[in-house]
Amino acid sequence: MYQFHYQQGAAGKLDAFPHILEIYAKKNTAIQLQSFPQQVAKGLCIYFIQEGKFEWWVNGVHYFLFPGDTVLVLPGETIGNEKGLLELGSIYCLELNIKPLKQGELVPGVWSGLGQAECAAIGKLLHLKSTSVLSRMSDAGRILTSLFYEIHHLELAYVTRVNQLIDELIIAITRQLTRQCLPARDFSSIFMKLEDALRKDLSHQWTVEEMAAIAGMGTTLFTEKVKGFTGFTPINYLINIRISEATRLLKRRDISITDIALDTGFYSSQHFSTTFKKLTGYTPGEFRKNNTYTE
Amino acid sequence: MKCIITIELGTNAVRIFAFDLNGSVIGSMKGFYPTFYSQTDYSEQDPEQIFITMLYVLKNLLNEVIHARKYTVASICFSSSMHSLLVVDKNGVPLGNALTWADNRAKKEAREINASPLADTLYASTGTPLHPMSPLLKIAWLRHNEPDKFQRAGKFLSVKSYVIYQLTGAYLIDYSLACATGMMDIRTADWAEEALQYAGISRDQLPQLVSVFAGAGNLKKAYQNSLGITDDTRILVGSSDGCMATLGAGIWNSDKATITIEDSSAVRIAGNHILQDEKKRVFNYLLTDNCFISGGPSNSGSGIFEWFVKQFGDSTGAYDMETCLTTLLEEATKVPPGSEGLLFLPYLLGERAPIWNPDARGCFFGINIQHEKQHFIRATIEGILYEIYSIGRLLMEHRDIKGLSVNGSFATIPFCSQMIADMYNVPVYVTKHNNSVSVGAFLLAATEMGIYRTLDEAAAQVEIDKTYWPQELHHQTYMKYYDIFERLSYKLSDEFARIAELQAHRTQ
């Protein structure tokens, strides 16, 4: 392993990649004070453990890391060692300038070859991550090694190749993140995890691709599984939860119908009203008049 | 042409069937709703989601099947799982989620009341065991732990009562479901004063008691317009899923019992008098005049075997629980009955009948060096079925059982049906239509319409698809091991309490 450290603005090698804030390969042979204090990540950071055993805290959660482990830190999250020390060993790090959108989703920039829907799905999954550590992810090490090679050697078409490798890394991490959090074979547990994600963010315009990604499946298999398990297509199940939640909110006086519509993921109060009436026969206003919560 | 629609509000899903008047299925659809487990012993469901899911599925079935094929809906008959509790305010608006039968938060109340003289009085009048599942104890828990909510309570409902109220505006509960609340006097078919006093509520806070044949009034106009149904359609209050499953299995005033095994299980018999069990282990639900469903429920069922499959099944390959389950079942057949001395107590979720011990825990017993994986698979299935058999033994203290009708996904796996026949040493029947709850609801509605004169006549229409005959040698083997199984279930009572206590405080 050769060592290097490029930072945006300080190394010409990153001029063609404004989205890379920092990239390094480091072999730590001596423990120094304040070598790895807890710090707030500016962008999306990906660490890969090459050698050694590390004890890090990511956003307050304690992890022991071993070779092959990949650490994912979102912008604004904290990372570091509680005592401020970087243990002996080798690590790779890539920090990307990807800022969270209003809803907390992370969407790669124009440099990425990922489609808009794919970006949205990946961004949503990263935002919903339930762990920061992906165990034994040798793929990340392989991709990062290729990435370093490309940036270091600047061979023909290196710009395209570097951006492709970053996309590949993000895809691999997102897929692994989904699979790792899912109990194999147990679709009811997988479905409850999805249900939880949908309910937590009902105003988000969920796509089937995003929902399938949370379940760690392709859209065809996912749709088939959801239909068998719930009796609904994924989108119909989502509408069902939206109307249920709206029904509950309509019984309270302190929230307007427009707010209910938007909070539960309808495009507008008109869209909400049409969908609600189609199912129940009542407009939201009529329903509210007949069903009021007592204080 | 006329049709009958049955709506089953089950533990995890609503299942809606449409039958023609001959009992043939015209169409069916289901819709899932989740259960939330926010804390140990808590099990809740969102009443709005249940209602909306029911509405959604009903509307789709009507639009896609019933109206499309020019059927008119003569009757809609409800059934639901038992022991749910939903508190609503004086305007009928839910004050939080519904608690399901599996909600065990009222453990302390159950322990206390079972140790008091009131237990005998309540069991004598209500005919149902005093357990945390019972809405009576859930209300007592609420009074002790959430006094504000208790004060604001307008009504204490079941999920089925809530759904019917939403549709028609009437607060109703049928006798059989009311028995399952632990608050109805089974002898007078009225709310039991001593139960109400214990719960601290008045009778006007409960829905009106009605017969299973009672009409629930007309659908509100908005729902009529939305669903395309008129005042001509009769909305029947119906019964509980357990009673419907018994009726739908064709077991009626006979010397047969029915076994239902899904996630949880039950063994039930129908008769013209209640079973007053000295140890208060048997439930009794009044269905119609002088017709009672008696039996015992178990927390053990396919859910326990699925747990085993998840932990010890082959975890490579695609997500497919069913394939994995089938593979394990095949493995189990390689081991002789009795699993060569390996026993499994299936109390992973505590247990109701016959031991009624929420602290009971699972256990493999008798492991020796020769036991292999397939022994554990078979022992797990045998353990679940020994437990079901123990409920049958309890019922046999009161009545003869000369045959069994089995239903539910787990019971009708041929390997399991045969095992049940061998354990009980009586023939086991599987009916043609496996969804006995819906068939029961159809038979109830058809009887109400006059198609059948009585429920006996209706139940006689249920056709048998397959019979499993007992094998005497297997029975003898099972009985040797069952004896140890039964002794262990009671002997380990102190250890269950201690381990449950440690598990409850494992984070401290």
Side-chain angles (χ1 to χ4, degrees), chain B residues 256-297:
Chain B
K256 297 191 189 72
T258 180
I259 295 180
T260 307
I261 311 179
E262 293 282 2
D263 275 355
S264 62
S265 325
V267 186
R268 305 183 190 92
I269 48 177
N272 55 15
H273 62 275
I274 62 170
L275 307 185
Q276 275 287 355
D277 183 60
E278 268 180 27
K279 294 177 187 166
K280 304 187 280 290
R281 296 166 297 177
V282 179
F283 62 65
N284 295 275
Y285 303 138
L286 171 66
L287 194 73
T288 60
D289 295 342
N290 282 327
C291 179
F292 300 90
I293 304 291
S294 306

Side-chain angles (χ1 to χ4, degrees), chain A residues 108 111-114 122 162-172:
Chain A
W111 54 269
S112 169
L114 292 164
I122 287 173
V162 163
N163 289 340
Q164 282 175 342
L165 284 165
I166 297 176
D167 275 348
E168 193 181 337
L169 183 61
I170 291 173
I171 293 168

Side-chain angles (χ1 to χ4, degrees), chain B residues 87-300:
Chain B
V87 187
V88 299
D89 72 3
K90 64 180 182 184
N91 291 343
V93 177
L95 299 173
N97 283 336
L99 314 189
T100 77
W101 63 268
D103 192 290
N104 268 332
R105 72 185 67 181
K107 271 186 191 171
K108 182 166 163 269
E109 283 73 14
R111 253 194 314 272
E112 284 170 2
I113 200 167
N114 273 312
S116 80
L118 189 57
D120 285 339
T121 314
L122 286 176
Y123 185 72
S125 65
T126 66
T128 60
L130 291 151
H131 181 269
M133 72 180 181
S134 168
L136 170 70
L137 298 174
K138 287 171 175 158
I139 295 173
W141 180 92
L142 188 72
R143 185 156 64 101
H144 299 147
N145 296 280
E146 292 187 16
D148 290 350
K149 187 169 164 184
F150 182 79
Q151 288 302 325
R152 291 174 62 205
K155 297 266 186 210
F156 296 92
L157 303 177
S158 71
V159 164
K160 191 177 83 171
S161 300
Y162 177 68
V163 166
I164 290 175
Y165 167 72
Q166 288 284 88
L167 289 172
T168 69
Y171 286 116
L172 303 170
I173 188 166
D174 71 88
Y175 294 138
S176 70
L177 201 61
C179 287
T181 65
M183 291 184 280
M184 195 188 95
D185 190 327
I186 198 163
R187 301 161 303 186
T188 60
D190 193 2
W191 295 114
E193 275 306 329
E194 53 276 62
L196 302 189
Q197 271 175 26
Y198 166 75
I201 62 172
S202 58
R203 60 178 51 231
D204 61 6
Q205 286 182 292
L206 292 166
Q208 186 191 341
L209 287 162
V210 292
S211 147
V212 291
F213 294 116
N218 295 324
L219 288 186
K220 291 174 184 169
K221 285 293 171 206
Y223 295 122
Q224 287 192 5
N225 296 337
S226 163
L227 297 169
I229 284 178
T230 66
D231 280 350
D232 295 337
T233 300
R234 199 146 156 74
I235 312 293
L236 291 186
V237 175
S239 176
S240 65
D241 54 4
C243 291
M244 292 297 202
T246 311
L247 177 60
I251 301 303
W252 211 248
N253 282 326
S254 69
D255 49 10
K256 297 191 189 72
T258 180
I259 295 180
T260 307
I261 311 179
E262 293 282 2
D263 275 355
S264 62
S265 325
V267 186
R268 305 183 190 92
I269 48 177
N272 55 15
H273 62 275
I274 62 170
L275 307 185
Q276 275 287 355
D277 183 60
E278 268 180 27
K279 294 177 187 166
K280 304 187 280 290
R281 296 166 297 177
V282 179
F283 62 65
N284 295 275
Y285 303 138
L286 171 66
L287 194 73
T288 60
D289 295 342
N290 282 327
C291 179
F292 300 90
I293 304 291
S294 306
S298 166
N299 292 351
S300 306

Side-chain angles (χ1 to χ4, degrees), chain A residues 220-237:
Chain A
T220 310
L221 176 64
F222 171 72
T223 303
E224 192 185 301
K225 286 271 181 192
V226 171
K227 190 91 175 54
F229 186 72
T230 69
F232 296 104
T233 62
I235 290 296
N236 279 347
Y237 187 78

Side-chain angles (χ1 to χ4, degrees), chain B residues 297-430:
Chain B
S298 166
N299 292 351
S300 306
S302 61
I304 303 294
F305 191 58
E306 277 176 23
W307 166 84
F308 183 88
V309 174
K310 280 177 206 165
Q311 309 312 317
F312 305 110
D314 176 9
S315 60
T316 57
Y319 302 106
D320 192 346
M321 185 81 176
E322 278 148 32
T323 312
C324 199
L325 201 138
T326 310
T327 314
L328 290 197
L329 279 169
E330 277 169 21
E331 286 283 302
T333 60
K334 295 174 186 166
V335 178
S339 302
E340 297 184 302
L342 184 61
L343 284 165
F344 174 62
L345 303 189
Y347 308 133
L348 272 57
L349 297 165
E351 188 51 294
R352 290 182 284 171
I355 62 172
W356 293 97
N357 184 352
D359 289 335
R361 292 293 181 264
C363 173
F364 279 102
F365 180 79
I367 309 170
N368 70 38
I369 200 78
Q370 272 141 18
H371 286 134
E372 296 175 8
K373 185 177 168 185
Q374 57 261 42
H375 290 91
F376 284 85
I377 303 168
R378 182 165 187 132
T380 303
I381 300 167
E382 287 179 348
I384 295 166
L385 297 180
Y386 282 141
E387 181 57 23
I388 312 275
Y389 174 65
S390 68
I391 301 173
R393 292 266 288 210
L394 167 59
L395 297 180
M396 284 187 265
E397 289 175 22
H398 301 272
R399 288 255 295 273
D400 267 354
I401 294 178
K402 291 184 178 155
L404 291 163
S405 175
V406 297
N407 55 63
S409 55
F410 197 71
T412 49
I413 295 171
F415 180 64
C416 297
S417 301
Q418 183 62 55
M419 210 182 268
I420 295 170
D422 294 344
M423 278 186 193
Y424 275 79
N425 207 22
V426 296
V428 159
Y429 311 103
V430 178

Side-chain angles (χ1 to χ4, degrees), chain A residues 125-235:
Chain A
L125 286 164
L126 294 181
H127 172 58
L128 290 169
K129 76 179 167 74
S130 55
T131 179
S132 297
V133 174
L134 303 163
S135 306
R136 294 185 294 279
M137 197 189 161
S138 53
D139 262 6
R142 178 185 57 76
I143 299 168
L144 281 163
T145 307
S146 304
L147 193 59
F148 298 151
Y149 177 89
E150 293 291 341
I151 291 177
H152 199 62
H153 292 88
L154 310 181
E155 287 182 21
L156 177 68
Y158 74 96
V159 175
T160 304
R161 189 76 189 106
V162 163
N163 289 340
Q164 282 175 342
L165 284 165
I166 297 176
D167 275 348
E168 193 181 337
L169 183 61
I170 291 173
I171 293 168
I173 284 175
T174 315
R175 284 187 179 177
Q176 170 97 0
L177 191 65
T178 311
R179 287 195 191 117
Q180 188 170 307
C181 300
L182 297 175
R185 295 186 176 281
D186 181 8
F187 188 74
S188 60
S189 303
I190 294 170
F191 189 80
M192 287 313 290
K193 189 176 143 62
L194 172 68
E195 163 96 25
D196 191 41
L198 296 179
R199 279 177 174 267
K200 271 188 188 149
D201 196 0
L202 218 45
S203 61
H204 177 70
Q205 294 308 309
W206 290 94
T207 62
V208 178
E209 287 78 14
E210 285 171 345
M211 291 192 257
I214 287 179
M217 295 176 186
T219 51
T220 310
L221 176 64
F222 171 72
T223 303
E224 192 185 301
K225 286 271 181 192
V226 171
K227 190 91 175 54
F229 186 72
T230 69
F232 296 104
T233 62
I235 290 296

